[in-house]
């Protein structure tokens, strides 16, 4: 599936990306990074930083809540 960049039109130069303190610099330890631009929350994968997804704080809270309650567990293989 092709990558999608939902952040077109957002100036990425001033974005300060953050990743989990549990993330390491070891080979193969990729993680999701978060940034903020205006009212948008930006997400990218550390091993492919050119692909950025923009979302709202409310949508991200909903996703995290669903993950924490096992809402996607049926998709684990």
């Amino acid at each position: 599936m092709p990558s999608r960049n939902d952040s077109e039109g957002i100036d990425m130069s001033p974005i300060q990306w953050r990743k989990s303190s549990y993330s390491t610099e070891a080979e193969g330890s990729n993680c999701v990074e978060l940034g903020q631009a205006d009212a948008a929350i930006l997400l990218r994968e550390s091993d492919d930083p050119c692909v950025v997804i923009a979302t709202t704080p409310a949508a991200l809270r909903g996703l995290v809540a669903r993950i924490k309650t096992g809402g996607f567990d049926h998709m684990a293989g």
Side-chain angles (χ1 to χ4, degrees):
M1 177 161 52
S3 298
R4 181 169 174 200
N5 190 334
D6 288 333
S7 61
E8 290 183 24
I10 296 175
D11 181 10
M12 295 295 188
S13 58
I15 305 298
Q16 292 184 331
W17 293 97
R18 297 179 183 180
K19 63 182 177 177
S20 170
S21 60
Y22 292 102
S23 179
T24 68
E25 299 299 325
E27 181 75 26
S29 67
N30 302 320
C31 64
V32 174
E33 298 175 326
L34 296 173
Q36 184 175 3
D38 299 322
I41 301 295
L42 308 175
L43 296 99
R44 70 180 185 180
E45 196 168 338
S46 62
D47 69 335
D48 194 2
C50 293
V51 178
V52 176
I53 298 172
T55 189
T56 65
L60 183 58
R61 278 192 302 273
L63 174 64
V64 171
R66 188 162 178 203
I67 291 168
K68 286 182 175 182
T69 60
F72 296 103
D73 287 357
H74 66 283
M75 299 173 89

